[in-house]
Amino acid sequence: MMDPLKFIVALLWAVLGFAGYYFSGHKKSATGTVREVMAQRGWGVLFLGMASMGIIFLFWRESPASFGFGFSFRFPPPWWSYLVVPVIIVVSYFHSFSPANLAIYPQIRIEKWDGRILVLSAVSWIVFLVAYEFFFRGFLLFASLEAMDPWPAIALNCTLYGFAHLYKGPGETFGAIAVGVLLCYLTIHTGNIWSAVAIHTAMALSNEWFSLRAHPHMSLVRI
C-alpha cells in the first residue's frame, strides 16, 4: 500500500539529516587529523544511520528489512555487477594521481600513516558507508517507492545524492549521480543495500590506499 506521508517524512529527513551531519562534521577549521575525520564519520553514522533507523522503529513501527537493511535477496545481483568492483579499482588507481583527488584524499591529512591508522580508517569507512548507503539507498529510496515508480524514485535519489557531493567539486558531483543510478538500480533489484555498500566500500578504500601511495607528502610507515 502506497504511503505518500512516509515519503514526505523521508524527504524532509533526507534534507535535515544530511544538513545536520554536514554542519556537525565539516568545520572550516578542520585540518584532517585522525580525531577530526573519525568524528566526522561518527556524526554521519549518528545522523544518517541511527536517526533514520530510529524513525523507522519508533514512528513507523516497521522493520529495517523493509528499507533494504535485511539479508534476503529479492533477486541475486546480475552477473555484470560483479565486474563493477574490478573496474572501480582500476579507475581509482589512475584517478589517484590527479591533483584534484590528492587535494582531498586521503581524508586524514597526516604525513606518517601506520598500520593502526590504516585499519582504523578502513573500519570507520565501512561503518560510515553502511550508514550512508542505508540513508540514501535504504531509508530514502524505499520510502520514495511508496509514492512513485522506480525510475522517478531513482532520479530523485540521485539528484539529492549529487547535491550531497557539491562541496567536493563538480567532478565528484557528476560522478556521484552516475554511480547513484547504478547503486539505486541494484538496491531495487536485490531488495537490499548490500551490493551498494560493497561497491561504495571498494571505491572508498581503493581510492584511499592508492591516494596514500601517490601522495608526495604522505607515506605508510612501520610502527
Side-chain angles (χ1 to χ4, degrees):
M1 182 177 178
M2 294 293 185
D3 188 350
L5 181 59
K6 188 180 294 181
F7 163 67
I8 293 171
V9 171
L11 185 60
L12 287 173
W13 182 245
V15 175
L16 296 176
F18 190 87
Y21 152 66
Y22 180 81
F23 289 110
S24 297
H26 297 75
K27 303 183 187 306
K28 290 184 178 180
S29 59
T31 56
T33 64
V34 175
R35 179 175 293 182
E36 288 170 347
V37 174
M38 294 304 105
Q40 175 187 324
R41 294 173 188 171
W43 283 116
V45 172
L46 176 62
F47 277 100
L48 308 182
M50 295 177 67
S52 300
M53 196 76 75
I55 292 172
I56 293 170
F57 272 127
L58 300 177
F59 295 99
W60 296 341
R61 307 286 185 180
E62 294 195 41
S63 166
S66 301
F67 292 83
F69 202 77
F71 295 94
S72 61
F73 284 80
R74 181 171 174 264
F75 295 106
W79 66 268
W80 51 262
S81 65
Y82 294 96
L83 302 177
V84 173
V85 170
V87 170
I88 282 173
I89 292 173
V90 172
V91 172
S92 292
Y93 174 77
F94 288 103
H95 180 61
S96 67
F97 295 95
S98 72
N101 178 73
L102 293 177
I104 55 177
Y105 294 107
Q107 288 185 339
I108 297 174
R109 310 301 287 180
I110 59 175
E111 291 185 4
K112 302 296 183 181
W113 288 54
D114 59 33
R116 292 174 299 184
I117 295 174
L118 199 69
V119 171
L120 178 63
S121 183
V123 171
S124 66
W125 259 127
I126 294 169
V127 174
F128 169 75
L129 289 173
V130 170
Y132 198 80
E133 285 301 325
F134 175 68
F135 180 73
F136 279 104
R137 251 62 67 175
F139 177 76
L140 176 60
L141 180 60
F142 281 86
S144 298
L145 293 170
E146 294 281 345
M148 61 187 74
D149 291 331
W151 283 110
I154 291 174
L156 173 65
N157 194 280
C158 294
T159 298
L160 294 175
Y161 190 54
F163 274 115
H165 287 76
L166 277 175
Y167 71 97
K168 294 184 177 181
E172 284 219 18
T173 300
F174 289 113
I177 292 172
V179 172
V181 172
L182 170 66
L183 301 186
C184 286
Y185 173 80
L186 289 174
T187 298
I188 293 173
H189 179 82
T190 62
N192 62 57
I193 65 170
W194 302 114
S195 295
V197 169
I199 290 171
H200 205 159
T201 299
M203 188 182 309
L205 294 184
S206 63
N207 184 59
E208 175 160 281
W209 295 338
F210 288 138
S211 298
L212 174 60
R213 183 175 182 272
H215 203 288
H217 304 300
M218 296 183 188
S219 61
L220 180 63
V221 298
R222 293 183 179 179
I223 300 175

